[in-house]
Amino acid sequence: MYQLILHHVYRKGPYAIDISGAQNDGLVSAAGYLDHGVSPGSGALVFKSPYARVRVPPRALWQTPRALKIEVVARIDALGARRNLVEGADSFALFVDEKGHVWGSVNGSQYPGGPRTWQGANSGLDGPGGVITTVPVAKWVTLRFEHDGYASLRVYLNNKLIAANYGLMSGVPSVGAAGVSVGNWTIADQYQLDGAIDELKIWRFDPDDGLGHFLGRKFNAHNAPCWGKYFDRLALALQDERARQRVLALMACIARAQREILRRIRAAGEAAIEENARLAAEYRKLWQEGPIDGPKMKLWQKDFARFLFDTIGRATVDAAMAEVSVCYARSELRTYLPQTCDLTKRDSAFVGYITGFAALFEPPLAPKRRD
Amino acid sequence: MALTAQQRISLIRTYAPILFFHPEERFMPVHPEAFLHGSALWKGDQTGKKDGWGLGGPGFPRRPLIPRGGISLKPDEDFEGQKDPEHDGVGAWYLGHHDPQKEIDPYLRSIDAEELWLDCAGWRDGDDVSATSANEACDLNKLAALFANDPSSPIPSAPWYYAEVMEIEEFDKFFVGLTTEPLDGQKLLREQFGDVWIIWYYFLYPGHEEFLRRCEAFFDEKSDGDYEGDWNAIGVLVKRPAILPWETPQPTFPEPSRLGYGVRLRGLAEDISETLFRQGMTIRDWHGEVEKRGLHPRVYVSRGYHNNYATAGTQPPTEATLGSISIGSLACGVGEGASALLDKVKDTESDIGEAAKDVGLTLVKMLAGAEIGMSLGPIGALGGALAGLVAGIVEANASSADHEPSADDWRQREEEHAPLPGNYGLVVAPADVPNPLETNNPDPARNETAVSLVHWPGLDQDKLVDRATQLWWGKDEQFRGYRGRWGVRVQNDPMLRRSGIEFPDFRRAFLRGLIEAAIKG
């Protein structure tokens, strides 16, 4: 899911060189330097001046973070004011407030199409079980921010969950023109950190993870060309003006349904997220190793269906499927994407896999079949 | 004081690499002049479509700007095809020809609207660009035959490299854009290494051939990832000694500090790199992993890819540190057309947004499900499509749950094959390394064999890069050079995986690698 896009281990000098491979280098201003940070020789930047910061320009990579994970090894020397650790312009922020509560926030919509507003979780109000946590002063700590791109934003102190919000309605938006600012605000010299930062890592959602996983299955010379044709057909449809509109309308419909189901799973809280992660890991393994129509996969499909219905409710699943059914019928997709490969002859394992799902997820409010 | 040509030559000779090839390797590095002489030159427009290629028309057939065998690198052969100094039936066109009216160098300048590319062996379906020609894949078999190392091959070929020495004073310009300002990188390197030379060795392979694991099932003309004209390089970083080698009666050259092994990074997300491919350099400490004979590094070349490695045997994917290898864009070419279009959907359709690829995948599963449902009867097309929808959501959920692809995942998918230890194909060594193979080890298992062993032919001075007179060195602020692609452009190649590549920016990649290595300590 996550893709590392920035990794700074600070060294003396005016530049923070990114060693993640994504070349998100930063310009260091007015920061001091410690030879020994969290460990001997690790090096750290010291933020004492009101002008101290590291600024990372907003490259294309920051335009679609969707999900975001930040991990920062820092030392807070004084509270009494907001202390910014890292902030993406108009997008996300990780900071400590005047009382020492750790905040993770994103500038997202609270309902589809709604105006953007800053929201998130802080360790003063959103601690698990109502526990309030403040960051220790003058001690090296590891703070982590995780927004899953759907519903949850969680904040950790030294790997312990200290704040969580499972009710978000949108992912992490694009970073604005002011870029990413470390130890200071993005807009002006404000909210400056009083302390030091040894290391910073930022991850975004990996947009190719799903497709990569799908293609990680053990294809063979018999079924692989068939799947190649499916993708080619989709490409052709997207190039044809009339078909494109139909396909995009259906894709928008699928996107809404998919997002809503995944959001609701993640909105169900820590136990559901944990169980979902376990099921997802098991699925990845089964898909990669096969057989995808074997008894283990059948069992997994049942487990997942049970988990899904228990977690978000059968009615939610049915509503999503009904909406997509209508969109699918309207799309007259098969007119625009005619059959070119018979999977029943080419990929019997996939047929078994699909029929496994079909048995568990029958069309609830299916409109009259058009096929 | 700048190095003299003779001093540069002595450095190049001293650190020249020994290349070890896989027994099944089909290409060896060739002389760029031979490649150019054997090529036609084409231009295309920004659409990449064949009806905009070369000259002729309107319509087909199309013909190249310079026919095969017509490229000349001699300024006194600036005949624009009107004379045939070689009497081979093809006129001569000087590659550096200047058009005074347009004030351009039409055979060197390559821009989106007029992109240049070389055509050495044409396409798999022939040399023609006609209304019916496919032009979808390069012809590696023909390339291999053209450059076969035997007297009957059409293009005389022997292993070759070009080399040059960079002094630290020349580094500044390469740091522009690398860090925010030019001088800091040089300072960083100076602090780490002191005054240094970087000695470069450049290799041009006629063809690039891909053997990704699992891709066998998908390989066809449209998806194999092969391309014409494959450049790679080795960089040797040497600390400049207080007493220079040539200042003593018995010159002693220092040991290098670092080696940079050129690798083509593949499948990087398009918003990290403008093209799917990006040049990388793997940095290794001379006293660490580098295998050597005296001051000559042993370099293992992966089969078909021509990436360079410090050790023999199967290699993990390059760029393992960047957990963003985009298998979706790579993936043996499957879905690359859809992938490119879905990227555009991401930018234009706010309802779908950044989930475009996940949604596209769900749609494909729905399509497949619908067809299965139709064929099987009781489920029906809609039932099958909805089962496909659930399968797509499951897929999206699996990638959205918290996990990071581990290096092992990628390693299994993208292993490359350098020759196995001790069992080599061609081995090419400098003349002062008469036997680069281990043959007298008391442990017989450690003794090495090679199918053939040759020494780098030619004179050292002929291998020196001279950007003022050699027109093929690509982008350089100071000198003119050919900026186009080194192989045929092909149709239906949205990610430009199978079209020839431009001369890569090795120098910037090496310096970036050195800086990152210095930061990592």
Side-chain angles (χ1 to χ4, degrees), chain B residues 42-162:
Chain B
W42 291 79
K43 74 171 179 182
D45 60 23
Q46 59 267 53
T47 68
K49 292 184 178 168
K50 65 180 181 178
D51 55 5
W53 289 358
L55 306 172
F60 297 101
R62 312 295 300 180
R63 60 183 185 351
L65 302 181
I66 302 177
R68 201 169 288 146
I71 293 175
S72 169
L73 296 164
K74 299 173 184 166
D76 58 356
E77 292 185 354
D78 192 358
F79 301 136
E80 285 292 274
Q82 298 301 311
K83 290 186 186 173
D84 179 12
E86 291 178 345
H87 306 294
D88 58 358
V90 183
W93 280 260
Y94 173 50
L95 194 67
H97 172 73
H98 183 74
D99 181 338
Q101 288 185 326
K102 293 182 182 170
E103 295 197 334
I104 58 167
D105 302 328
Y107 308 138
L108 298 178
R109 186 189 74 153
S110 185
I111 56 176
D112 282 350
E114 289 182 12
E115 182 189 51
L116 294 176
W117 38 271
L118 295 167
D119 158 17
C120 193
W123 296 267
R124 223 171 281 180
D125 60 328
D127 287 341
D128 296 339
V129 178
S130 67
T132 55
S133 62
N135 307 106
E136 287 187 332
C138 66
D139 190 344
L140 287 195
N141 290 336
K142 188 173 169 189
L143 258 182
L146 284 173
F147 288 93
N149 188 20
D150 67 56
S152 64
S153 66
I155 300 178
S157 54
W160 193 263
Y161 67 78
Y162 265 96

Side-chain angles (χ1 to χ4, degrees), chain A residues 1-4 9 11 14-15 17-21 23 25 59-61 66 69 150 154 203-205 207-210 212-215 219-221 224 227 230-231 233-235 239 247-248 250-252 254-255 258-259 261-262 266 276 280 283-284 288 300 304 321 324-325 328 333-334 337 339 341 343-344 350-351 353-355 357-358 361 363 366 369 371, chain B residues 178-181 184 214 217-218 269 271-272 278 321-324 326-329 331 334-335 337-338 341-342 345 348-349 351-352 354-372 374-376 378-379 381-383 385-405 413 512 515-516 519-520:
Chain A
M1 172 190 188
Y2 288 115
Q3 178 184 54
L4 186 66
V9 285
R11 298 286 179 262
Y15 300 99
I17 303 293
D18 175 18
I19 57 172
S20 74
Q23 302 192 9
D25 301 334
R59 299 170 57 228
L61 201 60
R66 186 170 164 187
K69 182 159 87 167
Y150 293 100
R154 292 174 285 173
W203 295 258
R204 69 166 184 173
F205 180 82
D208 288 312
D209 189 71
H213 174 255
F214 174 77
L215 293 167
F219 290 101
N220 58 44
W227 283 105
Y230 274 98
F231 284 100
R233 284 165 58 192
L234 178 58
Q239 285 171 318
V247 171
L248 289 179
L250 178 57
M251 284 179 70
I254 294 168
Q258 193 159 288
R259 194 181 302 130
I261 286 178
L262 298 183
R266 302 211 147 235
N276 186 45
Y283 174 77
R284 283 195 299 272
Q288 298 276 331
W300 184 90
F304 181 74
M321 288 177 71
V324 176
S325 299
Y328 174 76
L333 193 64
R334 296 188 58 256
L337 294 172
Q339 183 174 8
C341 191
L343 275 173
T344 56
F350 188 79
V351 174
Y353 162 86
I354 280 291
T355 50
F357 279 122
F361 295 88
R369 284 179 193 160
D371 297 304
Chain B
L178 187 66
T179 57
T180 319
E181 280 187 4
D184 184 60
R214 295 183 302 101
F218 293 95
D271 45 6
I272 295 178
R278 195 181 71 172
T321 54
L322 180 62
S324 59
S326 164
I327 196 85
S329 298
V334 175
L341 289 162
L342 288 170
V345 169
T348 56
E349 302 292 324
D351 282 355
I352 305 168
E354 64 275 16
K357 282 186 181 169
D358 287 348
V359 174
L361 180 58
T362 301
L363 181 55
V364 165
K365 281 195 166 182
M366 280 182 72
L367 264 175
E371 285 171 11
I372 290 167
M374 274 248 298
S375 302
L376 296 184
I379 299 175
L382 180 63
L386 291 177
L389 169 70
V390 174
I393 290 171
V394 162
E395 201 79 57
N397 184 50
S399 71
S400 73
D402 303 339
H403 77 101
E404 291 163 37
R413 290 173 185 175
R512 174 87 208 177
I515 290 174
E516 290 187 12
I519 295 287
K520 287 174 187 169

Side-chain angles (χ1 to χ4, degrees), chain A residues 104-110 117-121 153 165 167-170:
Chain A
S105 59
V106 290
N107 187 20
S109 306
Q110 288 180 307
T117 177
W118 285 96
Q119 55 198 307
L153 195 162
N165 179 345
L168 301 180
M169 300 293 288
S170 57

Side-chain angles (χ1 to χ4, degrees), chain A residues 93-173:
Chain A
L94 174 62
F95 61 92
V96 177
D97 70 13
E98 67 277 10
K99 292 177 181 165
H101 304 136
V102 187
W103 288 64
S105 59
V106 290
N107 187 20
S109 306
Q110 288 180 307
Y111 54 90
R116 279 161 56 171
T117 177
W118 285 96
Q119 55 198 307
N122 76 78
S123 64
L125 294 172
D126 306 309
V131 174
I132 296 170
T133 306
T134 55
V135 69
V137 173
K139 284 183 83 171
W140 286 104
V141 293
T142 301
L143 294 167
R144 192 164 84 239
F145 163 122
E146 279 187 35
H147 184 329
D148 63 13
Y150 293 100
S152 78
L153 195 162
R154 292 174 285 173
V155 180
Y156 297 80
L157 169 65
N158 294 332
N159 282 325
K160 186 182 171 195
L161 184 67
I162 57 168
N165 179 345
Y166 304 102
L168 301 180
M169 300 293 288
S170 57
V172 180

